[in-house]
């Protein structure tokens, strides 16, 4: 089963909660508000800061804030920040156990990965926050 990790889920939740604050917010406040353990919040915020999705402020009024509005942060950016590149299969021509010309699937997984990346790049965190935009009929 293809799954998004808990850390990516937490990252999305933390970004949404950060958007509700007008000033930098501490990891302890975010942990209390979200129910995510504080060490996990700190770890995820560090990863988001490294990816420039979140800013870290030190000194008086220290804490974290969004680098961009939620409508400018894509799900792809969050997934890459937490999980790394969006690739279903690591099909590396140079390190492949099969001869590329003999592999029935060579090049096909990359096309599917491209489509998946495209979907993730077209969903913003604001879309995920807005319950109406993500509803479906089942």
């Amino acid at each position: 089963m293809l799954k998004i990790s808990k850390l990516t889920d937490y990252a999305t939740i933390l970004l949404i909660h950060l958007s509700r604050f007008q000033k930098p917010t501490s990891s302890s406040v975010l942990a209390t508000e979200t129910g995510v353990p504080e060490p996990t919040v700190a770890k995820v915020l560090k990863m988001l800061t490294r990816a420039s999705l979140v800013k870290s402020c030190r000194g008086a009024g220290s804490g974290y804030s969004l680098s961009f509005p939620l409508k400018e942060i894509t799900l792809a950016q969050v997934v890459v920040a937490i999980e790394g590149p969006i690739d279903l299969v690591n099909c590396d021509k140079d390190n492949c156990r099969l001869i590329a010309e003999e592999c029935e699937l060579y090049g096909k997984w990359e096309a599917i990965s491209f489509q998946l990346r495209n979907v993730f790049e077209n969903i913003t965190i604001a879309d995920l926050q807005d319950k109406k935009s993500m509803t479906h009929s089942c």
Side-chain angles (χ1 to χ4, degrees):
M1 172 193 294
L2 179 66
K3 284 178 82 169
I4 296 294
S5 75
K6 274 282 188 210
L7 288 181
T8 299
D9 184 39
Y10 292 155
T12 306
I13 290 166
L14 291 170
L15 289 169
I16 290 169
H17 279 269
L18 271 175
S19 73
R20 297 176 181 156
F21 292 94
Q22 300 300 316
K23 59 182 182 165
T25 307
S26 70
S27 59
S28 60
V29 168
L30 289 167
T32 300
E33 207 176 272
T34 62
V36 176
E38 190 170 355
T40 304
V41 170
K43 176 181 179 175
V44 170
L45 288 172
K46 238 179 233 180
M47 296 168 92
L48 293 172
T49 300
R50 248 185 266 124
S52 300
L53 299 176
V54 165
K55 294 182 276 193
S56 171
C57 304
R58 296 191 178 156
S62 65
Y64 294 87
S65 59
L66 295 177
S67 296
F68 308 97
L70 293 182
K71 65 183 179 185
E72 294 178 23
I73 301 173
T74 67
L75 182 56
Q77 290 173 300
V78 177
V79 169
V80 169
I82 304 299
E83 319 254 353
I86 301 170
D87 286 319
L88 294 176
V89 174
N90 185 9
C91 191
D92 183 358
K93 188 175 179 179
D94 297 328
N95 297 312
C96 187
R97 291 177 299 197
L98 302 172
I99 299 170
E101 293 78 30
E102 294 176 11
C103 179
E104 293 85 10
L105 295 176
Y106 183 74
K108 295 183 176 84
W109 285 115
E110 289 81 5
I112 296 168
S113 290
F114 174 79
Q115 289 181 4
L116 182 61
R117 274 192 304 276
N118 191 39
V119 169
F120 283 17
E121 287 169 358
N122 285 295
I123 297 172
T124 68
I125 304 306
D127 293 332
L128 295 175
Q129 181 185 30
D130 181 11
K131 292 179 176 124
K132 294 177 212 151
S133 71
M134 297 302 290
T135 59
H136 61 283
S137 57
C138 279

